[in-house]
Amino acid sequence: MPIIASLPGINLFSSLPSNPPPNDAASSTPPPTPPIPIPKYPPPRKRNPQTVQPRSNPALSFPHRRSHYRKPVRKGVISTDGDRSVVIGENGLSYQLPGAPFEFQYSYSETPKAEPIAIREPAFFPFEPPTMSRPWTGKAPLKKSKKKIPLFDSFNPPPPDKKGVKHVQMPGPFPFGKYPKEGKTREEILGEPLKRWEIKMLVKPLLSDNRQVNLGRDGLTHNMLDLVHTHWKRRRVCKIKCKGVPTVDMDNVCRHIEEKTGGKIIHRVGGVVYLFRGRNYNYRTRPQYPLMLWKPAAPVYPKLIQEAPEGLTKAEADELRKKGKSLLPICKLAKNGVYVSLVKDVRDAFEGCPLVKIDCKGMHASDYKKIGSKLKELVPCVLLSFDDEQILMWRGHDWKSMYPEGPSTLVPGKADISSGLDDSANSADDCPTPVTKKVISSRKMISLWKRAIESNKALLLDEINLGPDALLEKVEEFEGISLAIEHSSEAIILSNENSSGSSMTDLEDGSDIEDLGGENDIYSDDDIIDDEDYDSDPLEETDPSIPLGSLPVDRIAERLISDRKRNEGKNIN
């Protein structure tokens, strides 16, 4: 490289020529034209957001979803539209329509008892306007079908060989000689109460059937009323399967189902309810309700958790919440489960500890808050927190045990009933209980104790301060008496001869049986079996002339021994 650089006239970093060589015009050809001309579109128009008109119907905007609309309300009518009105009352937010049998609500069974303090949307009706023949779907109504579909009701079912008709069950069942009749009131439609065999006949085919009405977290909603009548059109019994929050208080759900639908619950297993339509039910004369086109926003209710609940100061409430963090939950609730025994479990847990916690991990926040509000009314109890997806409750100062005063035992204070661990180090801190506590037995245990004492199989020691020797002496004495009573019995010999009456008078206690066939006799005349039916019975083949004081079993034993000797003699011969 240094040798090449030293040569004259050579520049390693020379630039390109400033002027390019001229092109030959004759040899150059123009570019080809495209076969299809390129279209020229107009520039896109800029939309002005202010010119977009809002939707005409305020019900389709859902203002409660992305807004902080809060309008305080009081008890009474808050909006009217002619004869229709929106009311805030004891049942929360309800709608009054002309000619309706009751005030309509979105949910009948899951409405809190507390009065709402505000609403989350303007008060309008979730039903179709009275001038609209059908809800608007964006399309014109379909033309009438040329086919004439036969319609049948429960009083005029189709014949069994009719084709093209779904199965319609006959009305009834009816007692022999009675027929269906028109009824307007609930009692007239239900008719006479069903008998046990009728209930079994109606419920048995539906036990394994999945044709049912599902009742979820919202409880008995308004549109379920029409759905139940749709099931009753084809069947006499409607199967309703309940899951989630409403199953905490199934009595409330069943009461609202019977009141709103007019039926009768004939069978109930856990969260499954079987609703009978009535003996005189007619689908054509059923009550028809307008359907709700959307779910209205739930109103605002007072807060469930307070910093200083009733009967506590803020410092005491914080101390209980601090102790509740180390407390083990009594159970874990599954999502969409059946919580029929939850109230009883919480009451039983309060017998051993003033604080109770329930694990609700995986559940929706609104679900376990509704469960907490139900437990507050049913147990009753005081809610402390919903932190960490858990319900923490305190039994309150006015708590009373559900067991009566009875025999009790003293157990160590370290035994934590709520946690189930006797040797737990945190159990003594979780429940502020004294060193010893009183465990009261249930009514069933008390009745068993009383029965054992009356039958001389148990001894109640009123004197607790007995010494070891005196206590052992009493126990041994009672054990001897109870064994003697248990293994001793009186034998009564009944003879067919006239001398049987004299044998009855020879009893040790001097008792006399006047009438063996009186009112206190265990067996009736129908239960007595004739001797002709059992000729081979060894008890009846015994000789009636048995000496006084012997038992029939001795005579039977002698006869069996003689028979065995006779058979052995025959075998030898």
Side-chain angles (χ1 to χ4, degrees), residues 102 108 220-229 260-261 289:
F102 48 83
Y108 295 102
L220 179 65
T221 58
H222 177 77
N223 289 349
M224 282 186 186
L225 302 180
D226 185 72
L227 186 59
V228 169
H229 285 282
K260 305 305 177 184
T261 60
Y289 309 116

Side-chain angles (χ1 to χ4, degrees), residues 453-465:
I453 293 171
E454 292 174 357
S455 60
N456 296 329
K457 292 184 178 180
L459 178 65
L460 182 63
L461 297 177
D462 296 332
E463 301 176 1
I464 305 299
N465 298 325

Side-chain angles (χ1 to χ4, degrees), residues 364-394:
H364 198 271
S366 62
D367 287 353
Y368 60 77
K369 288 181 180 179
K370 290 179 182 178
I371 292 175
S373 64
K374 285 179 174 291
L375 293 176
K376 181 181 179 181
E377 299 174 358
L378 298 175
V379 173
C381 59
V382 179
L383 297 176
L384 293 179
S385 73
F386 291 126
D387 297 341
D388 301 330
E389 298 182 355
Q390 293 176 340
I391 305 175
L392 182 62
M393 297 165 285
W394 176 56

